[in-house]
Amino acid sequence: QCAARIPEAGAVLDLLENCPERQKKGGFPVVVFEGLDATGKTTVTQAVKDTLNAVLLRSPPPCISQWRTIFDDQPAPIKRAFYAAGNYILASEIAKASTQAPVIVDRYWHSTAAYTIATEVNGKVQDLPPARDEVYQWPEDLLKPDLVLLLTVDPEERVRRLQCRGLEKTKEEAELESNSLFRQRVEESYRRMVNPACQEVDASHSKEEVLKTVLQLIKKHCAL
């Protein structure tokens, strides 16, 4: 319905319709990295990619990320539909890449779900849907990764890193910084995700220590 008003929406839908249904993973492991901005995802995913000779993919995928700012300015349902569609388009890329090499993914479904839940629910963590609610379940028709790692740092350290980066904040990042309850809802939503659940990694240590921990978890949970 919004394609007439937002031409880019039609292009996203065309890409989505060209994706095969029920994507199947190849023989190589797929590892997803989740976390708030400035928790070290970019640094860690690049290091893991180099160490494992893996393919690095990001959400939203490049074929639609050029329109991200357009959809970020839309009402929440349209914005979330854009990111949800991006996950299914990304699944096609994951399916293809995982037949050739290990795949490292910088954000996937858990990000879309966690931010949606945290946005829709006002108040404290206690106001979130209960831990076993179906909103935390992985979609049955979406390609599932072998491992999801959630990078976390304490709020003060994360803000310090953001300030050092000096990048323009997204609307959500600005809210994370100004609204501690929103940040807590996002993080708790990540922790309640199941099938697969997030394995939490303390990313406040040195790059070398975090990489060592991450590689140990990948070795433990994935066939490499």
Side-chain angles (χ1 to χ4, degrees), residues 1-49:
Q1 291 178 341
C2 62
R5 184 168 60 85
I6 312 169
E8 294 81 4
V12 172
L13 289 172
D14 287 343
L15 287 167
L16 188 60
E17 288 176 2
N18 288 329
C19 295
E21 294 184 11
R22 299 278 178 179
Q23 300 286 352
K24 290 187 177 181
K25 191 175 72 66
F28 288 88
V30 176
V31 181
V32 174
F33 285 82
E34 296 283 6
L36 306 182
D37 283 353
T39 51
K41 291 190 306 302
T42 300
T43 301
V44 173
T45 52
Q46 186 62 51
V48 174
K49 169 191 177 294

mmCIF file of all heavy atoms in Angstrom, residues 1-49:
data_model
loop_
_atom_site.group_PDB
_atom_site.id
_atom_site.type_symbol
_atom_site.label_atom_id
_atom_site.label_comp_id
_atom_site.label_asym_id
_atom_site.label_seq_id
_atom_site.Cartn_x
_atom_site.Cartn_y
_atom_site.Cartn_z
ATOM 1 N N GLN A 1 0.810 -1.205 0.000
ATOM 2 C CA GLN A 1 0.000 0.000 0.000
ATOM 3 C C GLN A 1 0.850 1.264 0.000
ATOM 4 O O GLN A 1 0.454 2.287 -0.554
ATOM 5 C CB GLN A 1 -0.911 0.016 1.230
ATOM 6 C CG GLN A 1 -2.000 -1.054 1.178
ATOM 7 C CD GLN A 1 -2.866 -1.039 2.430
ATOM 8 O OE1 GLN A 1 -2.479 -0.505 3.461
ATOM 9 N NE2 GLN A 1 -4.045 -1.637 2.325
ATOM 10 N N CYS A 2 2.044 1.205 0.627
ATOM 11 C CA CYS A 2 2.866 2.406 0.706
ATOM 12 C C CYS A 2 3.760 2.576 -0.515
ATOM 13 O O CYS A 2 4.462 3.569 -0.630
ATOM 14 C CB CYS A 2 3.717 2.408 1.974
ATOM 15 S SG CYS A 2 4.894 1.062 2.074
ATOM 16 N N ALA A 3 3.750 1.601 -1.450
ATOM 17 C CA ALA A 3 4.618 1.684 -2.625
ATOM 18 C C ALA A 3 4.290 2.893 -3.493
ATOM 19 O O ALA A 3 5.180 3.481 -4.115
ATOM 20 C CB ALA A 3 4.509 0.405 -3.444
ATOM 21 N N ALA A 4 3.018 3.282 -3.528
ATOM 22 C CA ALA A 4 2.637 4.440 -4.333
ATOM 23 C C ALA A 4 3.206 5.725 -3.739
ATOM 24 O O ALA A 4 3.547 6.663 -4.461
ATOM 25 C CB ALA A 4 1.121 4.532 -4.413
ATOM 26 N N ARG A 5 3.322 5.761 -2.434
ATOM 27 C CA ARG A 5 3.844 6.958 -1.748
ATOM 28 C C ARG A 5 5.355 6.910 -1.586
ATOM 29 O O ARG A 5 6.022 7.946 -1.584
ATOM 30 C CB ARG A 5 3.167 7.078 -0.374
ATOM 31 C CG ARG A 5 3.533 8.315 0.402
ATOM 32 C CD ARG A 5 2.605 8.491 1.599
ATOM 33 N NE ARG A 5 2.661 7.362 2.529
ATOM 34 C CZ ARG A 5 3.566 7.249 3.503
ATOM 35 N NH1 ARG A 5 4.490 8.183 3.655
ATOM 36 N NH2 ARG A 5 3.547 6.217 4.324
ATOM 37 N N ILE A 6 5.890 5.682 -1.455
ATOM 38 C CA ILE A 6 7.336 5.507 -1.274
ATOM 39 C C ILE A 6 7.834 4.576 -2.382
ATOM 40 O O ILE A 6 7.749 3.349 -2.250
ATOM 41 C CB ILE A 6 7.660 4.900 0.102
ATOM 42 C CG1 ILE A 6 6.902 5.632 1.217
ATOM 43 C CG2 ILE A 6 9.162 4.930 0.376
ATOM 44 C CD1 ILE A 6 6.953 4.932 2.553
ATOM 45 N N PRO A 7 8.336 5.128 -3.487
ATOM 46 C CA PRO A 7 8.764 4.277 -4.614
ATOM 47 C C PRO A 7 9.760 3.195 -4.207
ATOM 48 O O PRO A 7 9.738 2.082 -4.753
ATOM 49 C CB PRO A 7 9.413 5.290 -5.572
ATOM 50 C CG PRO A 7 8.774 6.593 -5.231
ATOM 51 C CD PRO A 7 8.515 6.559 -3.757
ATOM 52 N N GLU A 8 10.616 3.493 -3.242
ATOM 53 C CA GLU A 8 11.616 2.520 -2.806
ATOM 54 C C GLU A 8 10.982 1.268 -2.201
ATOM 55 O O GLU A 8 11.571 0.188 -2.237
ATOM 56 C CB GLU A 8 12.575 3.159 -1.791
ATOM 57 C CG GLU A 8 13.447 4.268 -2.346
ATOM 58 C CD GLU A 8 12.733 5.611 -2.444
ATOM 59 O OE1 GLU A 8 11.562 5.695 -2.010
ATOM 60 O OE2 GLU A 8 13.346 6.562 -2.952
ATOM 61 N N ALA A 9 9.774 1.422 -1.644
ATOM 62 C CA ALA A 9 9.090 0.264 -1.064
ATOM 63 C C ALA A 9 8.784 -0.772 -2.143
ATOM 64 O O ALA A 9 8.883 -1.981 -1.909
ATOM 65 C CB ALA A 9 7.796 0.704 -0.375
ATOM 66 N N GLY A 10 8.429 -0.307 -3.323
ATOM 67 C CA GLY A 10 8.170 -1.221 -4.433
ATOM 68 C C GLY A 10 9.421 -1.989 -4.820
ATOM 69 O O GLY A 10 9.366 -3.188 -5.112
ATOM 70 N N ALA A 11 10.566 -1.310 -4.799
ATOM 71 C CA ALA A 11 11.831 -1.965 -5.137
ATOM 72 C C ALA A 11 12.190 -3.024 -4.096
ATOM 73 O O ALA A 11 12.669 -4.113 -4.440
ATOM 74 C CB ALA A 11 12.942 -0.915 -5.237
ATOM 75 N N VAL A 12 11.947 -2.723 -2.810
ATOM 76 C CA VAL A 12 12.212 -3.699 -1.746
ATOM 77 C C VAL A 12 11.330 -4.925 -1.928
ATOM 78 O O VAL A 12 11.799 -6.067 -1.818
ATOM 79 C CB VAL A 12 11.974 -3.072 -0.356
ATOM 80 C CG1 VAL A 12 12.068 -4.140 0.734
ATOM 81 C CG2 VAL A 12 12.985 -1.964 -0.089
ATOM 82 N N LEU A 13 10.059 -4.705 -2.225
ATOM 83 C CA LEU A 13 9.132 -5.823 -2.414
ATOM 84 C C LEU A 13 9.518 -6.668 -3.616
ATOM 85 O O LEU A 13 9.392 -7.901 -3.588
ATOM 86 C CB LEU A 13 7.707 -5.294 -2.565
ATOM 87 C CG LEU A 13 7.077 -4.720 -1.286
ATOM 88 C CD1 LEU A 13 5.739 -4.056 -1.600
ATOM 89 C CD2 LEU A 13 6.890 -5.806 -0.241
ATOM 90 N N ASP A 14 10.000 -6.027 -4.682
ATOM 91 C CA ASP A 14 10.439 -6.778 -5.864
ATOM 92 C C ASP A 14 11.612 -7.688 -5.506
ATOM 93 O O ASP A 14 11.655 -8.860 -5.924
ATOM 94 C CB ASP A 14 10.849 -5.814 -6.984
ATOM 95 C CG ASP A 14 9.663 -5.129 -7.633
ATOM 96 O OD1 ASP A 14 8.528 -5.623 -7.462
ATOM 97 O OD2 ASP A 14 9.862 -4.094 -8.299
ATOM 98 N N LEU A 15 12.572 -7.166 -4.741
ATOM 99 C CA LEU A 15 13.707 -7.988 -4.315
ATOM 100 C C LEU A 15 13.251 -9.134 -3.427
ATOM 101 O O LEU A 15 13.738 -10.262 -3.551
ATOM 102 C CB LEU A 15 14.716 -7.117 -3.561
ATOM 103 C CG LEU A 15 15.541 -6.137 -4.396
ATOM 104 C CD1 LEU A 15 16.243 -5.127 -3.503
ATOM 105 C CD2 LEU A 15 16.544 -6.886 -5.253
ATOM 106 N N LEU A 16 12.290 -8.846 -2.560
ATOM 107 C CA LEU A 16 11.779 -9.869 -1.647
ATOM 108 C C LEU A 16 11.068 -10.982 -2.404
ATOM 109 O O LEU A 16 11.242 -12.169 -2.103
ATOM 110 C CB LEU A 16 10.833 -9.225 -0.639
ATOM 111 C CG LEU A 16 10.333 -10.096 0.514
ATOM 112 C CD1 LEU A 16 11.485 -10.603 1.358
ATOM 113 C CD2 LEU A 16 9.354 -9.302 1.380
ATOM 114 N N GLU A 17 10.279 -10.608 -3.407
ATOM 115 C CA GLU A 17 9.534 -11.603 -4.179
ATOM 116 C C GLU A 17 10.458 -12.502 -4.991
ATOM 117 O O GLU A 17 10.101 -13.642 -5.315
ATOM 118 C CB GLU A 17 8.546 -10.896 -5.109
ATOM 119 C CG GLU A 17 7.362 -10.279 -4.360
ATOM 120 C CD GLU A 17 6.437 -9.499 -5.278
ATOM 121 O OE1 GLU A 17 6.707 -9.487 -6.502
ATOM 122 O OE2 GLU A 17 5.466 -8.912 -4.774
ATOM 123 N N ASN A 18 11.643 -12.017 -5.317
ATOM 124 C CA ASN A 18 12.596 -12.814 -6.086
ATOM 125 C C ASN A 18 13.401 -13.773 -5.219
ATOM 126 O O ASN A 18 14.172 -14.579 -5.739
ATOM 127 C CB ASN A 18 13.556 -11.893 -6.851
ATOM 128 C CG ASN A 18 12.871 -11.194 -8.011
ATOM 129 O OD1 ASN A 18 11.938 -11.738 -8.605
ATOM 130 N ND2 ASN A 18 13.312 -9.985 -8.337
ATOM 131 N N CYS A 19 13.225 -13.689 -3.902
ATOM 132 C CA CYS A 19 13.937 -14.593 -2.994
ATOM 133 C C CYS A 19 13.189 -15.924 -2.911
ATOM 134 O O CYS A 19 11.979 -15.939 -2.684
ATOM 135 C CB CYS A 19 14.038 -13.991 -1.598
ATOM 136 S SG CYS A 19 15.037 -12.505 -1.502
ATOM 137 N N PRO A 20 13.892 -17.042 -3.059
ATOM 138 C CA PRO A 20 13.237 -18.338 -2.885
ATOM 139 C C PRO A 20 12.682 -18.491 -1.474
ATOM 140 O O PRO A 20 13.262 -17.978 -0.517
ATOM 141 C CB PRO A 20 14.374 -19.347 -3.133
ATOM 142 C CG PRO A 20 15.431 -18.581 -3.855
ATOM 143 C CD PRO A 20 15.319 -17.160 -3.383
ATOM 144 N N GLU A 21 11.564 -19.172 -1.337
ATOM 145 C CA GLU A 21 10.996 -19.418 -0.022
ATOM 146 C C GLU A 21 11.774 -20.520 0.686
ATOM 147 O O GLU A 21 12.414 -21.360 0.069
ATOM 148 C CB GLU A 21 9.515 -19.831 -0.149
ATOM 149 C CG GLU A 21 8.627 -18.714 -0.675
ATOM 150 C CD GLU A 21 7.165 -19.123 -0.708
ATOM 151 O OE1 GLU A 21 6.848 -20.181 -0.137
ATOM 152 O OE2 GLU A 21 6.371 -18.378 -1.302
ATOM 153 N N ARG A 22 11.708 -20.488 2.025
ATOM 154 C CA ARG A 22 12.347 -21.522 2.854
ATOM 155 C C ARG A 22 13.819 -21.711 2.485
ATOM 156 O O ARG A 22 14.244 -22.769 2.023
ATOM 157 C CB ARG A 22 11.611 -22.852 2.704
ATOM 158 C CG ARG A 22 10.151 -22.785 3.138
ATOM 159 C CD ARG A 22 10.007 -22.919 4.624
ATOM 160 N NE ARG A 22 8.628 -22.824 5.083
ATOM 161 C CZ ARG A 22 8.258 -22.924 6.346
ATOM 162 N NH1 ARG A 22 9.158 -23.102 7.282
ATOM 163 N NH2 ARG A 22 6.988 -22.819 6.687
ATOM 164 N N GLN A 23 14.597 -20.671 2.691
ATOM 165 C CA GLN A 23 16.027 -20.734 2.398
ATOM 166 C C GLN A 23 16.692 -21.840 3.212
ATOM 167 O O GLN A 23 16.381 -22.029 4.386
ATOM 168 C CB GLN A 23 16.675 -19.392 2.738
ATOM 169 C CG GLN A 23 16.114 -18.208 1.975
ATOM 170 C CD GLN A 23 16.561 -18.195 0.536
ATOM 171 O OE1 GLN A 23 17.413 -18.975 0.130
ATOM 172 N NE2 GLN A 23 15.981 -17.313 -0.248
ATOM 173 N N LYS A 24 17.616 -22.561 2.584
ATOM 174 C CA LYS A 24 18.351 -23.605 3.280
ATOM 175 C C LYS A 24 19.816 -23.225 3.399
ATOM 176 O O LYS A 24 20.431 -22.778 2.434
ATOM 177 C CB LYS A 24 18.214 -24.944 2.539
ATOM 178 C CG LYS A 24 16.816 -25.542 2.625
ATOM 179 C CD LYS A 24 16.779 -26.934 2.038
ATOM 180 C CE LYS A 24 15.402 -27.560 2.185
ATOM 181 N NZ LYS A 24 15.364 -28.945 1.627
ATOM 182 N N LYS A 25 20.343 -23.423 4.592
ATOM 183 C CA LYS A 25 21.745 -23.108 4.848
ATOM 184 C C LYS A 25 22.650 -24.127 4.169
ATOM 185 O O LYS A 25 22.315 -25.305 4.048
ATOM 186 C CB LYS A 25 21.985 -23.108 6.358
ATOM 187 C CG LYS A 25 23.324 -22.533 6.780
ATOM 188 C CD LYS A 25 23.417 -22.464 8.288
ATOM 189 C CE LYS A 25 23.579 -23.832 8.906
ATOM 190 N NZ LYS A 25 24.874 -24.466 8.549
ATOM 191 N N GLY A 26 23.828 -23.661 3.726
ATOM 192 C CA GLY A 26 24.814 -24.559 3.148
ATOM 193 C C GLY A 26 25.553 -25.332 4.227
ATOM 194 O O GLY A 26 25.165 -25.351 5.401
ATOM 195 N N GLY A 27 26.657 -25.938 3.869
ATOM 196 C CA GLY A 27 27.379 -26.807 4.793
ATOM 197 C C GLY A 27 28.286 -26.091 5.774
ATOM 198 O O GLY A 27 28.796 -26.714 6.710
ATOM 199 N N PHE A 28 28.501 -24.793 5.583
ATOM 200 C CA PHE A 28 29.384 -24.042 6.471
ATOM 201 C C PHE A 28 28.572 -23.319 7.545
ATOM 202 O O PHE A 28 27.417 -22.961 7.315
ATOM 203 C CB PHE A 28 30.212 -23.032 5.670
ATOM 204 C CG PHE A 28 31.283 -23.662 4.825
ATOM 205 C CD1 PHE A 28 31.008 -24.083 3.530
ATOM 206 C CD2 PHE A 28 32.562 -23.854 5.331
ATOM 207 C CE1 PHE A 28 31.987 -24.669 2.746
ATOM 208 C CE2 PHE A 28 33.553 -24.437 4.554
ATOM 209 C CZ PHE A 28 33.271 -24.849 3.261
ATOM 210 N N PRO A 29 29.176 -23.086 8.716
ATOM 211 C CA PRO A 29 28.440 -22.446 9.815
ATOM 212 C C PRO A 29 28.114 -20.980 9.548
ATOM 213 O O PRO A 29 28.837 -20.284 8.831
ATOM 214 C CB PRO A 29 29.388 -22.591 11.009
ATOM 215 C CG PRO A 29 30.739 -22.768 10.416
ATOM 216 C CD PRO A 29 30.539 -23.493 9.124
ATOM 217 N N VAL A 30 27.022 -20.533 10.154
ATOM 218 C CA VAL A 30 26.583 -19.136 10.074
ATOM 219 C C VAL A 30 26.555 -18.576 11.493
ATOM 220 O O VAL A 30 25.851 -19.097 12.354
ATOM 221 C CB VAL A 30 25.188 -19.021 9.429
ATOM 222 C CG1 VAL A 30 24.703 -17.576 9.454
ATOM 223 C CG2 VAL A 30 25.199 -19.572 8.008
ATOM 224 N N VAL A 31 27.331 -17.522 11.732
ATOM 225 C CA VAL A 31 27.434 -16.907 13.059
ATOM 226 C C VAL A 31 26.979 -15.459 12.976
ATOM 227 O O VAL A 31 27.503 -14.686 12.169
ATOM 228 C CB VAL A 31 28.873 -16.969 13.598
ATOM 229 C CG1 VAL A 31 28.945 -16.343 14.997
ATOM 230 C CG2 VAL A 31 29.374 -18.406 13.625
ATOM 231 N N VAL A 32 26.012 -15.096 13.808
ATOM 232 C CA VAL A 32 25.460 -13.742 13.827
ATOM 233 C C VAL A 32 25.986 -12.989 15.042
ATOM 234 O O VAL A 32 26.055 -13.540 16.144
ATOM 235 C CB VAL A 32 23.914 -13.788 13.861
ATOM 236 C CG1 VAL A 32 23.337 -12.379 14.026
ATOM 237 C CG2 VAL A 32 23.369 -14.440 12.606
ATOM 238 N N PHE A 33 26.341 -11.738 14.832
ATOM 239 C CA PHE A 33 26.743 -10.861 15.929
ATOM 240 C C PHE A 33 25.684 -9.787 16.129
ATOM 241 O O PHE A 33 25.299 -9.097 15.183
ATOM 242 C CB PHE A 33 28.098 -10.207 15.631
ATOM 243 C CG PHE A 33 29.255 -11.145 15.784
ATOM 244 C CD1 PHE A 33 29.587 -12.023 14.757
ATOM 245 C CD2 PHE A 33 29.999 -11.172 16.947
ATOM 246 C CE1 PHE A 33 30.649 -12.906 14.895
ATOM 247 C CE2 PHE A 33 31.057 -12.053 17.100
ATOM 248 C CZ PHE A 33 31.391 -12.920 16.070
ATOM 249 N N GLU A 34 25.215 -9.679 17.378
ATOM 250 C CA GLU A 34 24.212 -8.683 17.731
ATOM 251 C C GLU A 34 24.756 -7.767 18.822
ATOM 252 O O GLU A 34 25.779 -8.057 19.437
ATOM 253 C CB GLU A 34 22.930 -9.370 18.227
ATOM 254 C CG GLU A 34 22.210 -10.217 17.186
ATOM 255 C CD GLU A 34 21.417 -9.377 16.187
ATOM 256 O OE1 GLU A 34 21.513 -8.123 16.239
ATOM 257 O OE2 GLU A 34 20.705 -9.962 15.372
ATOM 258 N N GLY A 35 24.049 -6.677 19.066
ATOM 259 C CA GLY A 35 24.443 -5.754 20.117
ATOM 260 C C GLY A 35 24.119 -4.328 19.742
ATOM 261 O O GLY A 35 23.859 -4.025 18.575
ATOM 262 N N LEU A 36 24.127 -3.447 20.738
ATOM 263 C CA LEU A 36 23.888 -2.038 20.486
ATOM 264 C C LEU A 36 25.067 -1.442 19.725
ATOM 265 O O LEU A 36 26.142 -2.051 19.643
ATOM 266 C CB LEU A 36 23.704 -1.290 21.815
ATOM 267 C CG LEU A 36 22.634 -1.833 22.773
ATOM 268 C CD1 LEU A 36 22.564 -0.949 24.014
ATOM 269 C CD2 LEU A 36 21.281 -1.914 22.106
ATOM 270 N N ASP A 37 24.880 -0.244 19.163
ATOM 271 C CA ASP A 37 25.994 0.447 18.523
ATOM 272 C C ASP A 37 27.123 0.659 19.532
ATOM 273 O O ASP A 37 26.886 0.862 20.724
ATOM 274 C CB ASP A 37 25.538 1.804 17.988
ATOM 275 C CG ASP A 37 24.736 1.679 16.696
ATOM 276 O OD1 ASP A 37 24.664 0.554 16.163
ATOM 277 O OD2 ASP A 37 24.184 2.695 16.239
ATOM 278 N N ALA A 38 28.359 0.602 19.018
ATOM 279 C CA ALA A 38 29.567 0.845 19.821
ATOM 280 C C ALA A 38 29.860 -0.265 20.822
ATOM 281 O O ALA A 38 30.546 -0.053 21.818
ATOM 282 C CB ALA A 38 29.502 2.196 20.537
ATOM 283 N N THR A 39 29.360 -1.460 20.557
ATOM 284 C CA THR A 39 29.736 -2.607 21.382
ATOM 285 C C THR A 39 30.870 -3.399 20.719
ATOM 286 O O THR A 39 31.305 -4.417 21.264
ATOM 287 C CB THR A 39 28.533 -3.543 21.640
ATOM 288 O OG1 THR A 39 27.909 -3.872 20.396
ATOM 289 C CG2 THR A 39 27.520 -2.871 22.556
ATOM 290 N N GLY A 40 31.313 -2.958 19.551
ATOM 291 C CA GLY A 40 32.465 -3.584 18.909
ATOM 292 C C GLY A 40 32.142 -4.542 17.783
ATOM 293 O O GLY A 40 33.023 -5.293 17.346
ATOM 294 N N LYS A 41 30.898 -4.532 17.297
ATOM 295 C CA LYS A 41 30.507 -5.497 16.257
ATOM 296 C C LYS A 41 31.364 -5.378 14.999
ATOM 297 O O LYS A 41 31.804 -6.380 14.440
ATOM 298 C CB LYS A 41 29.026 -5.332 15.893
ATOM 299 C CG LYS A 41 28.058 -5.748 16.970
ATOM 300 C CD LYS A 41 26.622 -5.785 16.456
ATOM 301 C CE LYS A 41 26.196 -4.477 15.810
ATOM 302 N NZ LYS A 41 26.319 -3.313 16.737
ATOM 303 N N THR A 42 31.582 -4.141 14.527
ATOM 304 C CA THR A 42 32.338 -3.947 13.284
ATOM 305 C C THR A 42 33.753 -4.496 13.420
ATOM 306 O O THR A 42 34.244 -5.222 12.543
ATOM 307 C CB THR A 42 32.385 -2.450 12.916
ATOM 308 O OG1 THR A 42 31.053 -1.973 12.740
ATOM 309 C CG2 THR A 42 33.162 -2.240 11.621
ATOM 310 N N THR A 43 34.419 -4.171 14.527
ATOM 311 C CA THR A 43 35.790 -4.633 14.751
ATOM 312 C C THR A 43 35.861 -6.143 14.882
ATOM 313 O O THR A 43 36.694 -6.811 14.252
ATOM 314 C CB THR A 43 36.358 -3.985 16.030
ATOM 315 O OG1 THR A 43 36.331 -2.564 15.888
ATOM 316 C CG2 THR A 43 37.780 -4.452 16.298
ATOM 317 N N VAL A 44 34.962 -6.714 15.676
ATOM 318 C CA VAL A 44 34.999 -8.155 15.941
ATOM 319 C C VAL A 44 34.617 -8.955 14.695
ATOM 320 O O VAL A 44 35.273 -9.950 14.373
ATOM 321 C CB VAL A 44 34.071 -8.511 17.118
ATOM 322 C CG1 VAL A 44 33.982 -10.024 17.289
ATOM 323 C CG2 VAL A 44 34.564 -7.868 18.399
ATOM 324 N N THR A 45 33.569 -8.532 13.998
ATOM 325 C CA THR A 45 33.151 -9.292 12.820
ATOM 326 C C THR A 45 34.240 -9.296 11.751
ATOM 327 O O THR A 45 34.468 -10.320 11.102
ATOM 328 C CB THR A 45 31.842 -8.740 12.222
ATOM 329 O OG1 THR A 45 31.968 -7.324 11.993
ATOM 330 C CG2 THR A 45 30.661 -9.003 13.130
ATOM 331 N N GLN A 46 34.928 -8.173 11.588
ATOM 332 C CA GLN A 46 36.013 -8.124 10.603
ATOM 333 C C GLN A 46 37.162 -9.039 11.011
ATOM 334 O O GLN A 46 37.731 -9.757 10.184
ATOM 335 C CB GLN A 46 36.522 -6.688 10.451
ATOM 336 C CG GLN A 46 37.549 -6.495 9.337
ATOM 337 C CD GLN A 46 36.997 -6.822 7.964
ATOM 338 O OE1 GLN A 46 35.943 -6.334 7.576
ATOM 339 N NE2 GLN A 46 37.697 -7.673 7.221
ATOM 340 N N ALA A 47 37.484 -9.046 12.313
ATOM 341 C CA ALA A 47 38.569 -9.892 12.803
ATOM 342 C C ALA A 47 38.224 -11.374 12.656
ATOM 343 O O ALA A 47 39.078 -12.188 12.261
ATOM 344 C CB ALA A 47 38.877 -9.558 14.257
ATOM 345 N N VAL A 48 36.982 -11.739 12.963
ATOM 346 C CA VAL A 48 36.559 -13.136 12.829
ATOM 347 C C VAL A 48 36.546 -13.543 11.352
ATOM 348 O O VAL A 48 36.965 -14.649 10.994
ATOM 349 C CB VAL A 48 35.162 -13.348 13.460
ATOM 350 C CG1 VAL A 48 34.667 -14.763 13.196
ATOM 351 C CG2 VAL A 48 35.220 -13.089 14.959
ATOM 352 N N LYS A 49 36.073 -12.653 10.504
ATOM 353 C CA LYS A 49 36.080 -12.922 9.055
ATOM 354 C C LYS A 49 37.493 -13.242 8.579
ATOM 355 O O LYS A 49 37.715 -14.231 7.860
ATOM 356 C CB LYS A 49 35.555 -11.705 8.298
ATOM 357 C CG LYS A 49 35.755 -11.769 6.779
ATOM 358 C CD LYS A 49 35.476 -10.441 6.127
ATOM 359 C CE LYS A 49 35.733 -10.476 4.635
ATOM 360 N NZ LYS A 49 37.182 -10.676 4.300
#
